[in-house]
Amino acid sequence: MGFPDHLRADIEGYLEGLRFSDERDTDGLEEAMRYSLLAGGKRIRPVLALATAHAVGMPTEDVLPLAGALELIHTYSLIHDDLPAMDDDSLRRGRPTCHVVYGEGIAILAGDALYAEAMRLVLTQQHGDPTRVLECVAELATASGVRGMVGGQYIDVQGLIEKGDAELRRLHELKTGRLIRAAIECPILLADDVTRSTTLADFRAFASELGVLFQIVDDILDVTGTDVALGKPQGSDERHGKVTYVSRYGLDGARAMAEESHRNARAALDRAAPDTADELIQITDFIATRSS
Amino acid sequence: MGFPDHLRADIEGYLEGLRFSDERDTDGLEEAMRYSLLAGGKRIRPVLALATAHAVGMPTEDVLPLAGALELIHTYSLIHDDLPAMDDDSLRRGRPTCHVVYGEGIAILAGDALYAEAMRLVLTQQHGDPTRVLECVAELATASGVRGMVGGQYIDVQGLIEKGDAELRRLHELKTGRLIRAAIECPILLADDVTRSTTLADFRAFASELGVLFQIVDDILDVTGTDVALGKPQGSDERHGKVTYVSRYGLDGARAMAEESHRNARAALDRAAPDTADELIQITDFIATRSS
């Protein structure tokens, strides 16, 4: 099995090379941005974007700016989610969180700046006619706005404990699922007309199922994982009083749901790209069986 | 003289009509966004966008989404700037600031969401071919990123008291000037080829000078204005230990600089749009002579 580490290496190299300004007076801001951006992690979202591009015959270089933008947006959301006024987490990916190192004010600005620079980055896409690039920007903005990531984080911090099944699913569709969907959908938006019209619906179904799978496993790992493997304290969901797939369905129930979701995701992928999805299969299996 | 209040009314109506989601579970987030968005103010940035469009013969409806996006971005920056970890201001436009009413976590998310929704909004621009709309998105993202608003706010909160003349000017070019420039530049980016090629440089010069004028007057008003007129406590720059045009050049010196900047802005405008700039002249004179 394994993870497509060559794609992660491509992303790491690209992110390492990013600079946001030539001026010295914002160096400290860039340092805080890069501290969080280059803290490692599996780079699931940009790797998904590259693997999806490959599945429809597009080379890595055609979607690298898009892939980078996805990771900038994800990093920005982590920095803001970790703030004392939100989840108040002091450890992330095994290191002190941005506000612990640089202070709250700089952490808020580093998140803000990463989001703006993500939008700038995706506009440097050379591949794709302008209409398609605009659609990608719209998809990213929607995925990170009220009807996406930020809306999901709002529902999460409100912490309404009486959430039902549908509400729990919607919370995660917004908070994590929507950006994962954008990672898969955007490369298809940039593909040729035939690919797009014949595969978009199937890739969207795959993306939706993968988002659910990702979250169920995340909830399981929060209970079964170790601090070292997770890079953050285990059990933080319970301490924050959050409703999770585990708190709602028990560990065995959640595991059964993860298995079903894994099968569904693989089936959707078979329809979307029957012969060219090796890397996407690897990522899907990794998400289902990961230990961190 | 007077201010072009009909343009402000157009903007108010447009902002009032904006909805960000049909789902009820994010209503509380929308409420916080709208609380700050609809708190009044002169709407300088969107009014500048409409007036610039008119100066080159484009109707209001062609740039309304862009104008709305500018005000969403400005409002987001105010919400984050007011946070305890930044300027820690509890009053804005005569009302308690967003975090005072809704709490810090919601205020951070309201700002984040306004920025994402601003990007979504500008993409609904019907006027302008896709390449031009992309240029507008790039301009807005640059104006609000490390090389713009957020970079400026970073330099500002660092509060380096030893700033020299060039540093002071650059701080304000980034923090307030860059978005004001975008408000004037974006409509020209959307205009026809001839208008664009013949006027862009002159409008950019006008925008740059207007940004300087705006900031000098802002610094003067912080010393001479009243709490009621300003909608926030007078003298906050001095309490925050900020270097301003007044702290650096004295009140008389700052006033002389404002007068010179006013003349320069008017001259640049004469070159950009010799016969069609009535509304822009009104706004320029208003900015030079405003009392709040």
Side-chain angles (χ1 to χ4, degrees):
Chain A
M1 201 169 60
F3 188 80
D5 282 313
H6 58 292
L7 303 186
R8 182 159 59 150
D10 289 342
I11 295 293
E12 288 298 338
Y14 184 76
L15 295 175
E16 273 281 359
L18 288 178
R19 290 296 180 280
F20 305 111
S21 173
D22 298 327
E23 300 288 341
R24 302 294 310 273
D25 50 6
T26 50
D27 277 357
L29 176 61
E30 282 217 35
E31 184 190 321
M33 294 163 75
R34 288 169 60 85
Y35 173 82
S36 291
L37 184 63
L38 303 177
K42 278 289 177 184
R43 312 299 193 187
I44 295 277
R45 292 153 194 79
V47 166
L48 274 172
L50 296 189
T52 303
H54 295 172
V56 297
M58 291 164 72
T60 294
E61 54 267 31
D62 280 2
V63 291
L64 262 181
L66 163 70
L70 285 159
E71 192 64 16
L72 265 62
I73 294 174
H74 177 57
T75 303
Y76 130 69
S77 79
L78 297 182
I79 295 175
H80 281 194
D81 287 3
D82 286 338
L83 287 166
M86 307 266 219
D87 291 350
D88 195 14
D89 284 318
S90 56
L91 212 57
R92 165 77 69 181
R93 292 172 174 170
R95 304 204 300 173
T97 44
C98 193
H99 67 270
V100 169
V101 179
Y102 298 99
E104 281 182 55
I106 305 299
I108 293 168
L109 291 174
D112 291 347
L114 281 166
Y115 191 40
E117 298 303 324
M119 288 298 170
R120 271 170 47 79
L121 199 55
V122 71
L123 294 168
T124 65
Q125 272 286 142
Q126 293 301 309
H127 179 84
D129 73 49
T131 308
R132 301 299 187 78
V133 176
L134 279 179
E135 288 178 315
C136 276
V137 176
E139 172 68 11
L140 291 177
T142 303
S144 51
V146 176
R147 290 185 263 182
M149 204 175 70
V150 173
Q153 174 68 358
Y154 168 80
I155 297 171
D156 202 22
V157 296
Q158 290 298 92
L160 300 169
I161 208 75
E162 65 274 25
K163 285 188 201 94
D165 290 8
E167 288 75 15
L168 182 62
R169 183 160 175 136
R170 182 171 137 78
L171 158 62
H172 294 305
E173 271 175 8
L174 294 180
K175 188 175 171 182
T176 55
R178 198 61 191 76
L179 194 62
I180 285 175
R181 185 178 126 190
I184 292 165
E185 190 161 327
C186 283
I188 305 300
L189 294 177
L190 293 171
D192 64 273
D193 287 345
V194 175
T195 298
R196 175 179 168 139
S197 62
T198 55
T199 69
L200 186 57
D202 288 328
F203 272 111
R204 202 174 271 168
F206 165 62
S208 174
E209 199 62 49
L210 194 68
V212 172
L213 175 63
F214 184 89
Q215 189 60 51
I216 300 174
V217 174
D218 214 57
D219 288 354
I220 293 171
L221 287 175
D222 191 69
V223 175
T224 64
T226 64
D227 292 6
V228 171
L230 296 177
K232 61 181 182 181
Q234 174 266 354
S236 77
D237 287 340
E238 191 179 350
R239 279 194 303 282
H240 286 106
K242 290 191 176 176
V243 180
T244 72
Y245 283 95
V246 175
S247 76
R248 188 149 200 101
Y249 305 102
L251 199 51
D252 289 344
R255 281 178 170 146
M257 290 174 81
E259 279 170 30
E260 189 193 342
S261 182
H262 187 191
R263 282 193 299 275
N264 291 343
R266 286 288 299 265
L269 193 51
D270 264 350
R271 289 190 296 276
D275 304 311
T276 54
D278 291 358
E279 291 166 344
L280 286 174
I281 290 172
Q282 280 192 311
I283 301 167
T284 306
D285 292 349
F286 169 79
I287 287 176
T289 59
R290 70 202 166 101
S291 61
S292 66
Chain B
M1 202 170 60
F3 188 78
D5 283 313
H6 58 291
L7 302 185
R8 180 156 62 149
D10 289 342
I11 295 294
E12 288 297 339
Y14 183 76
L15 295 175
E16 272 280 1
L18 288 179
R19 291 295 181 280
F20 305 110
S21 172
D22 298 327
E23 300 289 340
R24 301 297 307 274
D25 51 6
T26 48
D27 277 356
L29 177 61
E30 283 218 33
E31 185 190 321
M33 294 163 74
R34 289 170 60 84
Y35 172 82
S36 292
L37 184 62
L38 303 177
K42 278 289 177 185
R43 311 300 192 186
I44 295 276
R45 292 153 194 81
V47 165
L48 274 172
L50 298 189
T52 303
H54 294 174
V56 296
M58 290 164 72
T60 294
E61 53 267 33
D62 280 3
V63 291
L64 261 181
L66 163 70
L70 286 159
E71 191 64 17
L72 265 62
I73 294 173
H74 177 58
T75 303
Y76 130 69
S77 78
L78 297 181
I79 294 175
H80 281 193
D81 286 2
D82 286 339
L83 287 166
M86 306 264 221
D87 291 350
D88 194 15
D89 283 318
S90 56
L91 212 58
R92 167 76 71 181
R93 290 171 176 170
R95 305 203 300 173
T97 43
C98 192
H99 67 270
V100 169
V101 178
Y102 297 98
E104 281 181 54
I106 305 298
I108 293 167
L109 291 174
D112 291 347
L114 281 165
Y115 190 45
E117 298 302 324
M119 289 297 169
R120 273 171 47 78
L121 199 55
V122 71
L123 294 168
T124 65
Q125 273 287 141
Q126 294 300 306
H127 179 83
D129 73 49
T131 308
R132 301 299 186 80
V133 176
L134 277 180
E135 288 179 315
C136 275
V137 175
E139 172 68 11
L140 290 176
T142 303
S144 51
V146 176
R147 289 185 263 183
M149 204 174 70
V150 173
Q153 174 67 359
Y154 169 79
I155 297 171
D156 201 23
V157 296
Q158 290 299 91
L160 300 169
I161 209 75
E162 65 275 23
K163 284 187 201 94
D165 291 8
E167 288 75 15
L168 183 63
R169 183 159 176 138
R170 181 169 139 81
L171 158 62
H172 294 307
E173 270 175 8
L174 293 180
K175 188 175 171 181
T176 55
R178 198 61 191 77
L179 194 62
I180 286 174
R181 183 177 127 190
I184 291 164
E185 189 161 327
C186 283
I188 304 300
L189 293 177
L190 293 171
D192 64 274
D193 287 345
V194 175
T195 297
R196 177 179 167 138
S197 63
T198 55
T199 69
L200 186 58
D202 288 328
F203 271 111
R204 203 173 270 168
F206 164 63
S208 175
E209 198 62 50
L210 194 68
V212 172
L213 175 63
F214 184 88
Q215 190 60 51
I216 301 173
V217 174
D218 215 56
D219 288 353
I220 293 172
L221 287 175
D222 191 69
V223 175
T224 63
T226 65
D227 291 7
V228 171
L230 296 177
K232 62 181 182 181
Q234 176 264 354
S236 77
D237 286 339
E238 192 179 349
R239 278 194 304 282
H240 286 108
K242 290 191 177 177
V243 179
T244 72
Y245 284 95
V246 175
S247 75
R248 188 149 201 99
Y249 305 102
L251 199 50
D252 288 344
R255 281 180 172 142
M257 290 175 79
E259 277 170 31
E260 188 193 343
S261 181
H262 187 192
R263 280 193 301 275
N264 290 344
R266 286 287 300 265
L269 193 50
D270 262 350
R271 289 189 296 275
D275 304 311
T276 54
D278 290 359
E279 291 166 344
L280 286 173
I281 290 172
Q282 278 192 313
I283 301 167
T284 305
D285 292 349
F286 169 79
I287 287 176
T289 59
R290 71 202 166 101
S291 60
S292 67

